[in-house]
Amino acid sequence: MKYSIFFLVLIMLTSCKSETKPTQNTPEVAQEMAQDATFYVGTYTDKESKGIYKYSLSADGKLAKIGLAATANNPSFLALSPDKKFLLTVNELAEKNTGFVSSYQIEKDTLLFKNMSASGGAHPCHVTINDKGYVLAANYSSGSVGLLQIDSAGKLTDLLDTQQHSGQGTTARQKGPHAHSAWFDKNTVIAVDLGTNELWFSSINTTTNTLDSVAPFRLPMAEGAGPRHLAQHPTKKMLYVLNELDNTITSVSRLADGTYEKKQTISSIPEDFKEATKSADIHISADGKFLYASNRGHNSIAIFSIHEDSGDLSLVGYESCRGENPRNFSLTPEDTYLIVANQDTNNLISFKRNAQTGLLTFVSEIEAPTPVCILFD
């Protein structure tokens, strides 16, 4: 009997020692291990907003406000330097017929002002930067693109050059040039002009620091389309132009000789939707399988699949933005979530993204003052 009790106790002790405690998989430990993603929100400051705000997104998609990162005047579009040390914003103004580009040093949750330079025209609404530090500012009211440069300390040069557009389209919004965005496509600069209804092509002459025209120089969209933004495919020699006025997306191929050719045009809204609406922003998932576009009026994100071979778009569906006037939106760096800025209802919405289907599922909502741009850091 003694031996039986001894062996029973020995078995129990051995079992206890071999049991693995779930220290790695508890929700508390997982929450501590998961680091929140953070992002900046550009705004219009004609109401309650004071400038650029910083927010966080938890691993489970919940939004939280960190606070005001920098006081700024109409910081309506943001860009991050390649080394992620500096943030650039346009100041969408028209002071003596010019707006500005401002540079900030990123210091934890604060943006430290470095300097400001003229943008080369009135109401700049888009800014971007390449790996050589060249900066492009698209000036909507003037229909021009300004060229600047940023140094390793984050200081902007004075305006180096201006590409002035000319011409007009066929609608009331197209009586003159309106440069809405400008992009780097390898060594080519593509300016998207809603007013002239064209893409304008140039290159940067690094000797003279000027924007020099290159063939095909211009590529017109369909009459009345009103091109606004574009998205570049991560692996294909293709880009997708978002047309604001007729709510379409036009795919464009970059040919072997360096020229560009239009391929497919597809609507970003349902065929039976007849109310006023206009497109705003466009992004492609990092795997190149899905494209997303925001519709203001229809107040939705349109979801398209991208054909693996042809690059053609096929409609997957629409997701309500849960707010009005969805201006800008952004995919998170891992493409796990999509965040929408609803300008007129002062809110940000987070959606969980299904990587297999491209579909979106609502997760979280938070208040934000007149949000018009989202930039993950």
Side-chain angles (χ1 to χ4, degrees):
M1 184 69 178
K2 289 182 180 179
Y3 292 110
S4 298
I5 294 173
F6 173 77
F7 283 115
L8 179 61
V9 172
L10 183 63
I11 291 171
M12 292 175 65
L13 288 172
T14 304
S15 299
C16 290
K17 287 181 180 179
S18 62
E19 181 181 358
T20 302
K21 295 182 179 180
T23 55
Q24 298 299 318
N25 297 320
T26 62
E28 291 79 11
V29 172
Q31 187 173 6
E32 289 178 3
M33 293 175 65
Q35 185 175 359
D36 290 355
T38 57
F39 60 94
Y40 297 97
V41 177
T43 68
Y44 282 127
T45 55
D46 53 345
K47 295 179 181 177
E48 291 80 12
S49 176
K50 302 297 182 183
I52 304 170
Y53 293 83
K54 193 171 185 180
Y55 286 78
S56 67
L57 180 74
S58 67
D60 59 358
K62 299 296 176 59
L63 295 163
K65 184 177 181 180
I66 296 174
L68 181 66
T71 301
N73 199 351
N74 276 359
S76 65
F77 203 90
L78 313 174
L80 194 66
S81 65
D83 60 11
K84 299 184 179 181
K85 293 180 179 179
F86 306 102
L87 180 145
L88 299 181
T89 182
V90 293
N91 300 103
E92 194 170 330
L93 305 168
E95 296 182 2
K96 297 182 179 179
N97 204 36
T98 189
F100 303 92
V101 180
S102 295
S103 174
Y104 295 86
Q105 181 176 323
I106 298 173
E107 192 66 36
K108 296 183 178 179
D109 293 333
T110 302
L111 296 174
L112 304 178
F113 178 76
K114 298 293 291 186
N115 75 322
M116 174 188 288
S117 295
S119 65
H123 297 116
C125 57
H126 186 270
V127 63
T128 190
I129 180 173
N130 72 357
D131 57 3
K132 296 180 177 60
Y134 281 106
V135 176
L136 301 172
N139 301 291
Y140 181 83
S141 295
S142 298
S144 61
V145 176
L147 176 67
L148 306 91
Q149 200 166 13
I150 187 172
D151 64 21
S152 60
K155 186 177 180 180
L156 289 163
T157 63
D158 291 335
L159 185 67
L160 299 174
D161 192 28
T162 302
Q163 180 192 70
Q164 180 59 56
H165 297 175
S166 61
Q168 61 182 17
T170 57
T171 72
R173 288 275 305 278
Q174 298 177 309
K175 294 182 178 179
H178 294 303
H180 218 307
S181 61
W183 312 80
F184 293 101
D185 186 20
K186 296 187 180 297
N187 296 322
T188 302
V189 170
I190 306 175
V192 183
D193 196 302
L194 181 147
T196 69
N197 207 53
E198 298 164 318
L199 306 186
W200 291 60
F201 299 90
S202 59
S203 63
I204 297 175
N205 185 324
T206 57
T207 301
T208 60
N209 283 332
T210 55
L211 288 166
D212 297 347
S213 298
V214 297
F217 187 40
R218 303 187 196 185
L219 181 67
M221 294 294 106
E223 184 176 315
R228 176 186 174 96
H229 279 195
L230 62 78
Q232 294 157 304
H233 196 279
T235 58
K236 300 180 184 298
K237 295 179 180 179
M238 294 188 67
L239 52 91
Y240 298 82
V241 180
L242 184 72
N243 299 303
E244 175 180 336
L245 301 184
D246 71 355
N247 304 286
T248 63
I249 300 166
T250 299
S251 61
V252 178
S253 294
R254 184 172 70 246
L255 305 180
D257 62 359
T259 60
Y260 294 79
E261 179 182 72
K262 291 184 294 183
K263 287 189 62 183
Q264 177 199 29
T265 295
I266 189 170
S267 176
S268 66
I269 57 172
E271 291 183 6
D272 59 353
F273 188 79
K274 304 303 180 183
E275 298 176 32
T277 188
K278 50 188 177 180
S279 301
D281 198 16
I282 185 169
H283 294 281
I284 296 174
S285 58
D287 60 11
K289 294 181 178 180
F290 295 97
L291 179 147
Y292 300 86
S294 58
N295 297 307
R296 297 172 291 174
H298 189 246
N299 294 327
S300 66
I301 298 293
I303 306 165
F304 298 89
S305 62
I306 302 176
H307 193 277
E308 184 177 0
D309 297 323
S310 67
D312 286 348
L313 301 178
S314 297
L315 179 67
V316 173
Y318 300 93
E319 182 65 36
S320 169
C321 288
R322 295 174 175 256
E324 296 179 8
N325 199 4
R327 181 68 171 263
N328 182 244
F329 68 93
S330 179
L331 292 163
T332 57
E334 296 81 16
D335 276 2
T336 308
Y337 294 95
L338 184 148
I339 315 298
V340 182
N342 292 310
Q343 179 180 343
D344 291 352
T345 44
N346 301 304
N347 62 341
L348 305 175
I349 305 292
S350 69
F351 294 97
K352 176 78 172 179
R353 195 182 80 89
N354 186 311
Q356 281 70 49
T357 66
L359 294 174
L360 305 173
T361 303
F362 168 74
V363 178
S364 180
E365 176 179 358
I366 196 169
E367 185 179 356
T370 324
V372 290
C373 185
I374 295 172
L375 177 70
F376 278 89
D377 62 352

